[in-house]
Amino acid sequence: MLVTRRLMGRADSNDAGAALVAVIIIMVVGMIAAATIAAGVVFAMSSNASNKATTQAFVAAESGRDAALDAVVASSCSLTASNSDPAHGPVFYATAQTGPDEANLSAACPTDSISSVIEITSTGWGSDGSMTTVKALYQRPITFQNQPGGTLAYFAGQFKLTQSTFDGDLVIREGNYECNSTTTINGDLWVPKGNLELSSSCEVTGNVYALGLVEAKGSGTTIGGNIVSEGSIILGSTDGTVGGDVNAGVNITVKGMTVAGSATAGGSVTVDSGVITGGYKVTTPLPVGAITPSLQAVYDMTTWVDFPSTRDSWGTDVDWKNGTCSGNAFTDATRSPAPGKNRLGIDYTLCTGTISISVTGATSIGRDVIFLFPPNAKMDLTLGTLIGATPKPQLLFIHADNVPDRQVTCSTSVGSGGDALESVANDSVKILLYTPCGLFKAPKKEGFHGQYYSGDSGSGKLEQPDFVCAPMTWEPRLDLGCRLSDGASGSGDVVRTRLAPTLISQTEVPLPAPSPTPFGTWAPTS
């Protein structure tokens, strides 16, 4: 028993020491855990405070961007916007530049005569003095009421009509033009930047307007209206006729044609053979208003329009759906729109490669539809029998040009002549075909009624399809007519409309070295 008590006593003594060690270890671990938690809480609080200030700075920068945009497009334009008082909202300082395109920006307000690009650089401050700078690029389009969009062959490549008929006013926007090979233009012919040659039974039922030399030769040239040029006019087509007057800024020479009206020249009038029925006179160069609209106005209003691949450019009443990238996806255009929507939008901007749309059987279309294609994809359209409601539905095929420079920009992945449109079987719908890449297959006029907006196809004969022009509108983006005389007053005047700017891109700009704020000695405080 004595031995037992001694052993038990030794065991009690050893247990007490172990317990003490355990308590110390627990205390150390607890202190470490508490310190770690405390450090984490302090770090989180610091990070949250920093994130809060950074977010404040970013929000302030975007607030400055919006304020600057409002200032630029206001009736009393301003190129700066700022707020230096934290008590009255986010603190920011923003500046703007504008120009016809991104490569030609300057510290000047935009005009209402042409579309503009607006670049805004905005810096915002957080409550702790942190800074964020953003740079945003906007496109502000100018549209024209009754703009002669689809009547034009103007953007790139060479335009030819060979033994075919064109219905609508035709504007050859760049360079010279030759009308030949039994071609009929049912409308006016405009060559605002070049010379014009008329031959081989070319017929223009309306008037002819040109900047440079107008020469009729060969045989059978027929002009139904007037010929007006800022240069000289030579009328040498045998059996040719001019149904109206002839007016030249320089000289007029008649060699074998009959002019039903009179002739007026700023230089000389020579009649070798032929007749000027109403007589002629030499006077000062063309008076102001002799060509209405002016050649420069026609040139300006027919500038290429950059249609971007953004849905918000096409109105708020469009019911959008993502299109099927391959196969027959045209059934998306036959559905009923969602409540509160009046038009349909099929968005293919997530697709790549070739996007094929095919109508193989009779298909009914009950409303206006827009098909939106990305710049880096090809359009391959085969449109068979389309049965439209009344009034005729409009189908817009838009191959986007995302570069806001008012120039034709075709993605290298598509290439010139990259798109195709097969014939439409009837005229119960109106079609707008917009492609900066041009066509390698051209539709025929038997079924294609509407508008055509094209860049360089790589082939002059396919640059413009054979079609019948028809007026088309899509609020708020476009209003395309077929005659320059269809302006609001009926006199050829075209009403310009300034649309709301569309955001094209935005990036954060690396912060500059610390410098004084634009508000003098003020600095944000928490």
Side-chain angles (χ1 to χ4, degrees):
M1 294 294 296
L2 291 175
V3 173
T4 302
R5 283 197 294 269
R6 289 192 187 99
L7 291 173
M8 290 294 293
R10 291 190 185 100
D12 290 345
S13 177
N14 289 340
D15 288 346
L20 178 61
V21 172
V23 169
I24 293 173
I25 291 173
I26 292 172
M27 291 177 62
V28 171
V29 171
M31 291 176 63
I32 293 173
T36 301
I37 293 171
V41 170
V42 172
F43 177 78
M45 293 174 62
S46 175
S47 297
N48 288 339
S50 177
N51 290 338
K52 177 182 178 181
T54 301
T55 301
Q56 286 177 337
F58 182 78
V59 171
E62 290 204 324
S63 298
R65 175 203 66 188
D66 296 342
L69 182 64
D70 290 342
V72 168
V73 300
S75 56
S76 56
C77 166
S78 174
L79 297 176
T80 61
S82 64
N83 176 41
S84 61
D85 185 359
H88 293 84
V91 177
F92 57 80
Y93 182 80
T95 60
Q97 296 187 94
T98 74
D101 52 64
E102 190 176 1
N104 295 280
L105 299 173
S106 63
C109 291
T111 68
D112 284 345
S113 60
I114 59 173
S115 298
S116 302
V117 169
I118 303 170
E119 181 187 77
I120 296 175
T121 302
S122 176
T123 299
W125 282 268
S127 58
D128 65 346
S130 58
M131 300 166 53
T132 295
T133 298
V134 298
K135 180 173 289 187
L137 193 69
Y138 289 86
Q139 182 186 57
R140 193 207 65 173
I142 297 292
T143 63
F144 300 87
Q145 181 179 348
N146 288 301
Q147 177 178 350
T151 67
L152 314 176
Y154 44 92
F155 302 120
Q158 181 183 7
F159 173 72
K160 291 182 179 179
L161 286 172
T162 302
Q163 296 181 343
S164 57
T165 300
F166 181 92
D167 289 338
D169 290 351
L170 177 62
V171 180
I172 307 301
R173 189 169 185 270
E174 299 283 359
N176 305 324
Y177 180 59
E178 178 182 351
C179 176
N180 60 16
S181 300
T182 318
T183 293
T184 299
I185 298 172
N186 289 320
D188 294 340
L189 174 59
W190 295 76
V191 187
K193 291 294 182 181
N195 304 323
L196 172 63
E197 180 179 304
L198 308 163
S199 64
S200 302
S201 299
C202 169
E203 179 182 2
V204 180
T205 63
N207 302 314
V208 170
Y209 303 96
L211 175 69
L213 173 66
V214 176
E215 183 175 10
K217 57 185 183 180
S219 64
T221 296
T222 304
I223 307 300
N226 306 320
I227 300 178
V228 187
S229 174
E230 293 185 7
S232 294
I233 299 174
I234 301 174
L235 302 178
S237 173
T238 58
D239 300 322
T241 60
V242 178
D245 301 329
V246 178
N247 299 289
V250 189
N251 304 320
I252 295 176
T253 302
V254 180
K255 299 186 296 182
M257 289 184 69
T258 299
V259 178
S262 61
T264 302
S268 63
V269 177
T270 303
V271 180
D272 290 341
S273 59
V275 178
I276 301 178
T277 305
Y280 61 87
K281 62 181 178 179
V282 175
T283 182
T284 57
L286 292 176
V288 176
I291 301 178
T292 302
S294 69
L295 294 176
Q296 185 61 47
V298 171
Y299 183 82
D300 288 342
M301 76 175 67
T302 55
T303 300
W304 176 261
V305 178
D306 300 296
F307 286 156
S309 58
T310 51
R311 294 182 179 184
D312 59 359
S313 299
W314 301 97
T316 58
D317 67 334
V318 180
D319 179 19
W320 288 98
K321 179 179 180 180
N322 288 332
T324 304
C325 295
S326 62
N328 182 7
F330 201 81
T331 53
D332 292 336
T334 63
R335 72 185 194 277
S336 297
K341 306 294 184 178
N342 300 312
R343 301 176 290 184
L344 296 177
I346 316 298
D347 187 350
Y348 297 97
T349 57
L350 297 179
C351 304
T352 58
T354 298
I355 303 168
S356 298
I357 297 178
S358 178
V359 178
T360 55
T363 302
S364 297
I365 303 296
R367 56 195 53 80
D368 292 349
V369 187
I370 181 172
F371 301 81
L372 191 58
F373 299 83
N376 60 343
K378 292 184 179 183
M379 293 192 303
D380 187 355
L381 312 176
T382 302
L383 304 180
T385 303
L386 298 174
I387 304 171
T390 302
K392 293 180 181 180
Q394 302 179 118
L395 304 180
L396 280 65
F397 295 92
I398 306 296
H399 192 172
D401 184 345
N402 277 350
V403 183
D405 59 0
R406 298 184 303 144
Q407 303 293 324
V408 177
T409 306
C410 175
S411 173
T412 55
S413 63
V414 178
S416 180
D419 295 326
L421 173 62
E422 296 289 350
S423 296
V424 182
N426 56 60
D427 67 346
S428 65
V429 299
K430 294 191 290 186
I431 293 176
L432 167 66
L433 181 67
Y434 173 98
T435 166
C437 298
L439 298 176
F440 70 89
K441 291 183 180 179
K444 301 299 182 181
K445 69 175 182 179
E446 285 79 7
F448 185 13
H449 291 66
Q451 300 278 336
Y452 180 75
Y453 239 81
S454 177
D456 187 1
S457 69
S459 171
K461 293 183 179 180
L462 295 183
E463 182 62 33
Q464 182 85 9
D466 196 354
F467 78 108
V468 176
C469 183
M472 296 181 69
T473 60
W474 186 284
E475 295 293 339
R477 195 72 195 189
L478 52 83
D479 183 356
L480 302 176
C482 293
R483 312 281 181 185
L484 283 169
S485 59
D486 287 344
S489 68
S491 63
D493 295 332
V494 177
V495 179
R496 292 179 171 89
T497 302
R498 182 175 65 180
L499 300 184
T502 299
L503 180 64
I504 301 299
S505 64
Q506 177 174 300
T507 57
E508 287 194 47
V509 179
L511 292 176
S515 60
T517 73
F519 309 115
T521 58
W522 175 90
T525 57
S526 57

